[in-house]
């Protein structure tokens, strides 16, 4: 496999920040979060749901084809953003590009619905199996876009989206495809999913009046409790071989690593997996060449601190500017890494650093040339992507 650069020629998302790159950028520049307390089943929880105009777009898409009425939101989200990205990149179905869109939790809402019906009626719906399999995201996107290229789905917890990027790059550099649509989709705002996160004791219980108005304190080194908040959404990017004239950003480095498990959600104190993935992504590049790191930083005490320690180990005293977006749009599990890539692309494009309002950013980059994006999943499964505009 060669190390030739890969161009991102389009990126599209739907999240709490809205539907377009411009809308996302406008909302990133606001010093406010997009989290709300909502009733999820029988419990009240902080979540980051889609805005009403985004929900309307999803409903319109669902009504466009009778076959779409039985699909989970994870699939519908992916269909919407894939259409947007394909249009933005100028691709057609005849390009026969590859598709790799993953999800950490998959069709959570439908799985809960069908399992509840099974417990009540002791029989299962015909749609239960085909609409809850992980493979049905990329396959429905391929159907919708009428492409005949390879389509792959996978689940690698919270690093799922960035693993899609790795897969797309591997296919392109391996000469098996020239273009790949990659990303993640997540719709985890369901009673069972919230209950699982609360059982882990990592979900936010913050009273905004006691937290300067921010329920998720991602990257805050002084927080005394875990403050993770879930969000929903999807994000995909169009990857093309080499450096294209219409590139939004260039992928110049990739890294990945795992570390031995002590328990199911463990990560070492100084995130050895992140140290390895960042070092691999840097390659021969001097660490001081990186201007910004968009961190995974989910808002948990141990997770945030471990990643900061790993960054300090790799970058030494000359740290790049550190940021995260989870305080603003929640943790979207498998989509989160792709939304971080989107933030990185926007900062490169507009040459403006987006920080965290309740964190002191001592040194801000005068120019943003290179941005590293991190993601990690349960069990220390880390990915680092290095992006550049040059």
């Amino acid at each position: 496999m060669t190390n030739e650069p890969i161009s991102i020629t389009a990126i599209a998302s739907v999240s709490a920040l809205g539907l377009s790159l411009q809308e996302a950028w406008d909302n990133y520049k606001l010093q406010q979060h997009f989290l709300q307390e909502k009733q999820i089943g029988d419990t009240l929880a902080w979540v980051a749901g889609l805005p009403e105009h985004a929900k309307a777009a999803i409903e319109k898409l669902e009504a466009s084809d009778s076959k779409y009425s039985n699909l989970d939101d994870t699939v519908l989200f992916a269909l919407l953003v894939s259409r947007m990205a394909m249009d933005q990149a100028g691709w057609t179905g005849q390009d026969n590009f590859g598709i790799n869109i993953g999800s950490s939790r998959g069709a959570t809402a439908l799985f809960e619905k069908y399992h509840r019906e099974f417990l009540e009626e002791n029989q299962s719906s015909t749609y239960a199996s085909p609409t809850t399999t992980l493979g049905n995201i990329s396959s429905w996107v391929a159907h919708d876009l009428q492409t005949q290229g390879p389509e792959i789905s996978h689940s690698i917890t919270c690093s799922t989206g960035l693993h899609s990027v790795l897969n797309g790059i591997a296919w392109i550099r391996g000469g098996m495809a020239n273009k790949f649509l990659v990303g993640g989709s997540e719709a985890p705002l369901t009673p069972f999913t919230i209950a699982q996160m609360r059982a882990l004791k990592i979900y936010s219980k913050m009273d905004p009046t006691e937290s300067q108005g921010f329920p998720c304190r991602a990257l805050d080194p002084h927080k005394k409790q875990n403050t993770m908040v879930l969000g929903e959404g999807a994000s995909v990017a169009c990857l093309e071989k080499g450096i294209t004239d219409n590139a939004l950003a260039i992928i110049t480095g990739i890294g990945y690593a795992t570390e031995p498990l002590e328990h199911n959600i463990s990560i070492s104190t100084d995130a050895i997996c992140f140290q390895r993935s960042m070092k691999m992504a840097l390659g021969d590049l001097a660490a001081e060449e990186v201007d910004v790191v968009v961190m995974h930083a989910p808002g948990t005490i141990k997770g945030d601190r471990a990643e900061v320690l790993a960054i300090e180990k790799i970058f030494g005293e000359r740290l790049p500017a550190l940021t995260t977006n989870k305080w603003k749009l929640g943790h979207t599990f498998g989509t989160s890494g792709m939304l971080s890539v989107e933030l990185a692309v926007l900062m490169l494009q507009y040459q403006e650093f987006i920080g965290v309002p309740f964190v002191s950013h001592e040194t801000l980059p005068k120019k943003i040339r290179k941005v590293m994006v991190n993601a990690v999943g349960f069990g220390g499964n880390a990915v680092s992507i290095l992006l550049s505009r040059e």
Side-chain angles (χ1 to χ4, degrees), residues 67-361:
K67 295 187 291 295
Y68 294 171
S69 60
N70 294 302
L71 300 180
D72 187 73
D73 277 348
T74 51
V75 179
L76 297 175
F77 293 175
L79 292 178
L80 180 67
V81 297
S82 296
R83 288 181 181 183
M84 292 161 55
M86 184 174 170
D87 183 62
Q88 189 184 138
W91 291 3
T92 69
Q94 283 67 47
D95 288 330
N96 289 334
F97 52 87
I99 298 171
N100 188 176
I101 304 174
S103 179
S104 174
R105 315 300 298 185
T108 309
L110 284 187
F111 189 88
E112 291 181 29
K113 171 191 172 184
Y114 290 134
H115 187 252
R116 183 168 58 250
E117 290 176 357
F118 172 72
L119 293 178
E120 293 171 354
E121 303 170 13
N122 199 33
Q123 61 181 7
S124 177
S125 165
T126 305
Y127 293 109
S129 178
T131 59
T132 58
T133 180
L134 279 173
N136 92 128
I137 298 180
S138 290
S139 57
W140 277 110
V141 170
H143 159 80
D144 189 67
L145 301 183
Q146 294 295 293
T147 182
Q148 297 177 13
E151 50 94 356
I152 309 161
S153 298
H154 68 254
S155 175
I156 311 177
T157 62
C158 302
S159 54
T160 294
L162 291 196
H163 271 286
S164 297
V165 176
L166 297 184
N167 284 347
I169 291 173
W171 277 74
I172 292 172
R173 287 181 173 173
M176 297 175 67
N178 289 324
K179 301 176 180 180
F180 240 85
L181 180 71
V182 300
S185 185
E186 211 73 57
L189 307 186
T190 65
F192 187 44
T193 311
I194 298 292
Q196 290 175 70
M197 297 304 105
R198 284 184 164 167
L200 294 172
K201 296 180 171 56
I202 58 177
Y203 213 80
S204 178
K205 298 178 181 178
M206 294 293 281
D207 182 339
T209 61
E210 299 175 357
S211 60
Q212 301 175 38
F214 297 100
C216 177
R217 306 286 298 185
L219 204 53
D220 180 1
H222 306 298
K223 58 180 172 285
K224 304 299 183 184
Q225 58 180 279
N226 292 321
T227 64
M228 193 185 83
V229 172
L230 289 185
E232 62 182 352
S235 181
V236 298
C238 293
L239 305 184
E240 298 189 32
K241 184 178 182 180
I243 300 177
T244 65
D245 292 337
N246 62 334
L248 300 176
I250 311 300
I251 298 174
T252 57
I254 57 173
Y256 45 88
T258 56
E259 60 181 65
L261 293 174
E262 292 185 11
H263 54 80
N264 290 346
I265 61 170
S266 68
I267 188 170
S268 54
T269 305
D270 53 357
I272 294 171
C273 57
F274 266 141
Q275 291 184 50
R276 292 172 178 166
S277 67
M278 288 188 290
K279 186 175 182 181
M280 181 179 176
L282 283 171
D284 297 329
L285 184 73
E288 56 266 25
E289 292 289 315
V290 178
D291 303 297
V292 178
V293 175
V294 182
M295 296 172 57
H296 181 72
T300 61
I301 294 173
K302 290 182 178 179
D304 290 9
R305 182 57 182 158
E307 188 175 358
V308 169
L309 288 174
I311 291 170
E312 290 174 347
K313 287 281 184 73
I314 295 299
F315 291 93
E317 295 181 357
R318 298 184 63 180
L319 290 180
L322 307 181
T323 191
T324 180
N325 55 13
K326 292 184 178 63
W327 67 274
K328 182 182 282 281
L329 51 73
H331 188 0
T332 53
F333 284 148
T335 303
S336 63
M338 290 304 300
L339 290 173
S340 294
V341 167
E342 180 184 72
L343 173 57
V345 168
L346 288 168
M347 286 192 291
L348 286 165
Q349 178 181 346
Y350 288 98
Q351 286 297 297
E352 184 175 341
F353 175 71
I354 300 296
V356 181
F358 48 81
V359 173
S360 175
H361 297 279

